Amino acid sequence: MTGPVVVGVDGSASALAAVDAAAREARMRDAELHVIHAFTWPAMHAPPGASPLGPPAGALRESVDRLLAQATAQARNAAPGVKVSRAAIPGEKVTALEAQSRTAQLVVVGHRGSGGFRDVLLGSTAVHLSAHARCPVMVVRGRPDPAGPVAVAVDGSPQGQPAVAFAFAEAALRGADLLTVHAWSTWADHGEHHPGDPVDLVDLIGDAEQLQAQAEQLLAKALSGHRERYPELTVRTRVVRRRTRQALIEVSGSVQLMVVGARGRGGFTGMLMGSVSHAVLHHASCPVTVVRSSL
């Protein structure tokens, strides 16, 4: 992995929590931390060659400088020794962060920014970046200082393999165990059947054990090759009969990081964000990293 770790700040408490996490990520990777703040300039004509921040003593410049200075100081306090750079970028924050993701190895954002409504679980910036960024995106949310293993959702799809590879590397960087989770369910498990509906296959043939065994084989196949690259890493596997989103949200309560693919098995072609990833981003009890696939 090359390139800096990038964190977007806007002065919100959520963004400052993201700065702490991003600084630690940069230290683990021996990478530079790049702190950015994107802003929109009021609609007015500026003279040619004028600074996008306005005059040196302008209120906007002072506000942005103060915000970036606070974030930079917090990053250095969270991870002493990490090289920290900062930049103010004119434009929409989603556009700015997406552009930064082209050369970054990781982009970190808070789950909700300063412009979010109190009852909104996840800000639009986090959702958009998770679907469009060119590198993994960590959304910092959940309980403070989460502990436990790194967890990764495994569905066996080719699109999910980059997330599995990232999770192995992340667990190794953190010196943590890796928990790999595969959830399987049937139509009847979704609780959507009604009297007169067709009987679920498992209920009909009573062969849940066979389906469980197939799920375990799928998980083992998805992990093959990764284990060999990280022989010192303790890898635990969990195969459960449950709806995937429910299983992952439950697991998030006892891990330090949840890794998911942006779109996996069952996703429609052209969809940038699957329903499972979307649900985990909204409801997980720990930070979530979304890893997109080029497939």
Side-chain angles (χ1 to χ4, degrees):
M1 295 181 288
T2 60
V5 172
V6 173
V7 61
V9 297
D10 60 7
S12 66
S14 178
L16 291 177
V19 168
D20 285 343
R24 292 190 291 267
E25 290 290 328
R27 180 174 58 191
M28 287 187 292
R29 290 168 164 76
D30 194 22
E32 178 182 348
L33 177 64
H34 191 42
V35 182
I36 73 163
H37 173 70
F39 65 95
T40 52
W41 186 245
M44 62 179 63
H45 294 289
S51 167
L53 285 173
L60 177 58
R61 175 181 287 275
E62 292 179 357
S63 175
V64 171
D65 285 347
R66 185 166 55 251
L67 186 155
L68 287 171
Q70 178 188 13
T72 300
Q74 181 159 329
R76 289 175 173 148
N77 182 63
V82 169
K83 181 179 179 181
V84 184
S85 60
R86 64 190 191 190
I89 302 175
E92 294 292 337
K93 56 186 175 182
V94 169
T95 303
L97 288 168
E98 188 177 337
Q100 292 287 319
S101 74
R102 297 171 187 171
T103 55
Q105 59 177 286
L106 180 70
V107 171
V108 184
V109 293
H111 73 281
R112 187 173 62 224
S114 60
F117 296 100
R118 184 175 297 275
D119 58 347
V120 174
L121 294 174
L122 189 70
S124 59
T125 299
V127 172
H128 182 95
L129 274 178
S130 298
H132 294 274
R134 305 292 183 90
C135 69
V137 174
M138 175 185 285
V139 179
V140 179
R141 59 164 300 116
R143 63 196 189 282
D145 300 322
V150 171
V152 59
V154 183
D155 66 1
S157 69
Q159 295 88 347
Q161 278 299 305
V164 175
F166 179 91
F168 269 84
E170 187 73 12
L173 280 171
R174 292 169 177 247
D177 293 353
L178 177 63
L179 174 62
T180 61
V181 183
H182 176 68
W184 65 277
S185 61
T186 66
W187 172 80
D189 294 324
H190 290 235
E192 297 167 354
H193 56 292
H194 303 283
D197 284 344
V199 178
D200 178 69
L201 180 61
V202 171
D203 296 331
L204 181 64
I205 65 176
D207 203 7
E209 290 184 2
Q210 180 180 346
L211 295 177
Q212 174 77 11
Q214 291 174 348
E216 291 172 354
Q217 292 172 4
L218 180 150
L219 178 57
K221 182 178 179 181
L223 301 182
S224 63
H226 297 289
R227 288 180 181 269
E228 290 75 9
R229 285 191 285 274
Y230 298 91
E232 303 300 320
L233 187 63
T234 299
V235 181
R236 292 185 272 146
T237 60
R238 184 178 300 178
V239 178
V240 295
R241 181 181 177 180
R242 266 193 98 177
R243 298 186 71 173
T244 303
R245 66 189 70 181
Q246 295 171 343
L248 296 179
I249 291 169
E250 180 178 314
V251 165
S252 74
S254 58
V255 301
Q256 60 176 283
L257 176 71
M258 174 67 68
V259 180
V260 296
R263 179 174 58 87
R265 187 181 299 276
F268 294 102
T269 301
M271 283 185 63
L272 294 173
M273 177 68 71
S275 60
V276 170
S277 304
H278 200 270
V280 173
L281 278 174
H282 275 82
H283 299 288
S285 300
C286 68
V288 178
T289 297
V290 179
V291 183
R292 287 186 63 203
S293 169
S294 59
L295 298 177

